[in-house]
Amino acid sequence: MTTKTAKLTLPDGKEVTLPVVVGTENEHAVDIRALRGESGYITLDSGYMNTGATTSAITYLDGEQGILRYRGYSIEDLAEKSDFVEVSYLLINGKLPTVEERQKFSTQLTRHSLIHEDMHHFFAGYPPTSHPMAVLSAMVTSMSAYYPDSLDRNSAIDLHITRLLSKVRTIAAFAYKKSIGQPLIYPKNSLKYCANFLHMMFAVPSEDYTVPPILEKALNQLLILHADHEQNCSTSTVRMVGSSGANVYAAIASGILALWGPLHGGANQAVIEMLESIKKEGGDAKRFVDDVKNKRGGNRLMGFGHRVYKNYDPRAKILKKMCDDVLQQLGINDPMLDIAKGLEEIALKDDYFISKKLYPNVDFYSGILYRAMGIPTDMFTVMFALGRMPGWIAHWKEMVEDKDTKIGRPRQIYTGPTPRAYAPITERTA
Ligand code: ACO
């Protein structure tokens, strides 16, 4: 924080002095909280492109430099040296765990992996064609019905956090099993977090299944890369819903729904659909890029561009390498990877993409990896939700523990009709 100020001169010549806030990485903001009270003016910022909704100590992101850090640790270090459970602990608690803290956290996650048996009836009620994001969000909302103490703001936050982190993986795997008509596979306490999820996804009761270590490692890395991304659309939604005092399950479920959109977490599914359609039409990446540039067919290059990154997304860099490693180790030759690399090469040399600073984002390569792991396309966004869970929880927790939190309630500039007389229906003209 600082003693610096900024001055705003309004059309009537009135000057308003506003405090300047500086973050630990030297980011500057004009604090406009007193602006309306002092001047009657509000700020207008569609899409919140210039609006800081909060201060936060969780994630630092520099889109110009392509830097991403969770609680001060670089994403590159965490993806290489850590695992998803440890990173979840870090995001939620602000520090890396000691051996004892890690042990306790893992044990809690293991103990809370089952879902209430009655919730199994819900899975039976959905048609097999249901999108698993619909099932996941509804199930997470339903958890507040099974744990009604969550409606009390003073209830045990740590317990709800553990339940969410642990059960969401069981729900996701059950939604998949239901969609393919296979029996549900219960969690297995001897397995670690990611291996347990993969076991629930791919095991069947009729034969033994051992989780391939390469898949467990890849999943850990994928989930770490998705674990937080500061004030994105879904995280802001979690904070907004949570600011009303709604319970944590409701707030997280709303984040899942915000993530579903193709401009956000749904982009990983959209990337594969785009690559498939390019392949179907002969694999001409150049023609597709030309169509995108000339806005023919209304297509964007999915998996490219980002509201904040105006440089190569550091997560995409890690994923591109992972894609090569995992596909090679699994002996998979996926033509989608060649098309994706071809698209990237063309786009990165093209003036349209260079001038608009459009680079591959986290979703450009993640779908190819998920395919190689045997995860079906409509589960991709669910995988993103699994990864983002600790980030959403960390932001929800930070918000409820911040004494300055107020209910989220933006203002607007009204552009509709001015007052007019009400006419009886028989006197109205078309
Ligand atoms: N392909 C082609 N052109 C693009 C793309 C793209 N992927 N992204 C942006 N542009 C163009 C727009 O057409 C626009 O051009 P114009 O100025 O000529 O109209 C310009 O770049 C700016 O685009 P905006 O939509 O205004 O940028 P914004 O910051 O609002 O959007 C977004 C960011 C939504 C991510 C956008 O880049 C996009 O739609 N990308 C494809 C979807 C995607 O990959 N989403 C995942 C994002 S990462 C995540 O959420 C995990």
Side-chain angles (χ1 to χ4, degrees):
M1 303 300 153
T2 165
T3 52
K4 286 184 199 164
T5 56
K7 279 195 176 28
L8 176 67
T9 309
L10 297 166
D12 62 2
K14 188 178 173 198
E15 245 183 25
V16 186
T17 303
L18 298 161
V20 167
V21 178
V22 183
T24 50
E25 290 282 356
N26 209 27
E27 293 172 298
H28 285 61
V30 178
D31 179 346
I32 56 143
R33 274 175 286 190
L35 178 63
R36 187 168 176 275
E38 283 192 25
S39 67
Y41 279 70
I42 62 165
T43 56
L44 188 60
D45 184 19
S46 163
Y48 310 119
M49 311 225 342
N50 298 284
T51 297
T54 183
T55 56
S56 176
I58 301 170
T59 286
Y60 174 67
L61 161 50
D62 179 336
E64 271 73 32
Q65 306 289 328
I67 293 172
L68 175 62
R69 295 187 204 122
Y70 299 159
R71 303 279 191 187
Y73 297 100
S74 80
I75 192 66
E76 290 81 5
D77 266 358
L78 292 171
E80 192 194 324
K81 299 172 187 161
S82 200
D83 69 11
F84 180 62
V85 168
E86 190 173 71
V87 169
S88 299
Y89 186 98
L90 169 71
L91 285 167
I92 295 166
N93 298 294
K95 66 184 273 288
L96 285 169
T98 60
V99 174
E100 291 77 32
E101 287 163 343
R102 166 65 204 247
Q103 185 77 46
K104 192 171 158 216
F105 190 52
S106 295
T107 307
Q108 283 167 345
L109 290 177
T110 303
R111 292 224 176 107
H112 287 277
S113 57
L114 287 171
I115 59 169
H116 196 292
E117 278 294 301
D118 289 350
M119 282 184 86
H120 292 210
H121 299 304
F122 295 174
F123 291 98
Y126 284 102
T129 49
S130 313
H131 196 287
M133 284 297 274
V135 180
L136 184 72
S137 56
M139 290 290 183
V140 171
T141 307
S142 303
M143 281 173 74
S144 52
Y146 285 87
Y147 305 107
D149 56 315
S150 61
L151 306 187
D152 175 357
R153 291 201 91 172
N154 299 315
S155 66
I157 285 183
D158 287 349
L159 187 55
H160 298 307
I161 289 175
T162 310
R163 282 178 183 144
L164 266 166
L165 267 180
S166 188
K167 293 180 198 306
V168 74
R169 137 195 86 147
T170 312
I171 294 170
F174 281 14
Y176 170 63
K177 285 295 198 191
K178 163 74 185 137
S179 74
I180 55 168
Q182 284 188 1
L184 306 183
I185 300 292
Y186 280 57
K188 208 171 169 186
N189 285 1
S190 57
L191 295 175
K192 289 184 166 181
Y193 190 95
C194 287
N196 208 346
F197 172 72
L198 291 167
H199 187 263
M200 284 189 275
M201 285 283 291
F202 299 122
V204 285
S206 41
E207 61 187 33
D208 289 337
Y209 172 78
T210 307
V211 178
I214 176 74
L215 294 196
E216 186 180 354
K217 182 171 176 228
L219 184 59
N220 265 298
Q221 288 197 326
L222 275 158
L223 298 188
I224 290 171
L225 295 181
H226 287 86
D228 193 42
H229 216 231
E230 49 118 301
Q231 311 306 320
N232 54 83
C233 175
S234 56
T235 303
S236 301
T237 303
V238 169
R239 279 184 175 264
M240 176 69 96
V241 173
S243 77
S244 75
N247 68 78
V248 64
Y249 301 106
I252 300 291
S254 62
I256 294 172
L257 289 168
L259 186 75
W260 195 356
L263 297 188
H264 190 14
N268 51 18
Q269 175 168 347
V271 169
I272 289 295
E273 286 161 1
M274 171 186 80
L275 296 174
E276 267 165 358
S277 93
I278 295 173
K279 182 168 167 263
K280 211 165 103 199
E281 279 162 32
D284 190 344
K286 167 110 184 41
R287 194 178 66 203
F288 186 82
V289 170
D290 280 344
D291 286 351
V292 166
K293 280 177 6 184
N294 296 309
K295 305 201 190 301
R296 279 194 294 266
N299 289 326
R300 282 191 167 194
L301 185 49
M302 299 311 286
F304 255 70
H306 197 278
R307 170 59 60 79
V308 182
Y309 289 118
K310 302 300 166 200
N311 200 328
Y312 212 104
D313 181 337
R315 302 166 301 173
K317 233 179 239 170
I318 299 170
L319 277 174
K320 187 178 179 185
K321 183 170 177 315
M322 258 169 80
C323 249
D324 282 333
D325 293 351
V326 172
L327 266 66
Q328 195 195 9
Q329 284 204 43
L330 293 175
I332 295 174
N333 184 10
D334 187 347
M336 299 296 167
L337 182 59
D338 298 331
I339 298 177
K341 283 183 173 172
L343 279 173
E344 182 190 330
E345 205 183 318
I346 296 166
L348 291 182
K349 284 188 199 139
D350 192 292
D351 268 355
Y352 174 93
F353 293 89
I354 295 170
S355 63
K356 293 183 192 298
K357 298 191 173 152
L358 300 169
Y359 294 89
N361 60 49
V362 69
D363 284 325
F364 195 64
Y365 286 105
S366 63
I368 297 172
L369 260 170
Y370 286 133
R371 260 164 72 92
M373 295 168 75
I375 291 168
T377 313
D378 66 359
M379 280 290 287
F380 290 179
T381 317
V382 169
M383 302 306 296
F384 193 151
L386 285 188
R388 187 53 55 87
M389 195 56 61
W392 288 331
I393 291 170
H395 282 273
W396 177 85
K397 188 166 177 275
E398 184 176 65
M399 186 229 20
V400 294
E401 288 173 356
D402 181 351
K403 60 179 176 27
D404 288 337
T405 293
K406 293 195 183 323
I407 184 167
R409 203 312 187 177
R411 288 192 173 259
Q412 63 164 23
I413 295 294
Y414 175 69
T415 56
T418 50
R420 45 185 170 166
Y422 179 88
I425 193 163
T426 49
E427 291 172 22
R428 290 175 211 160
T429 49

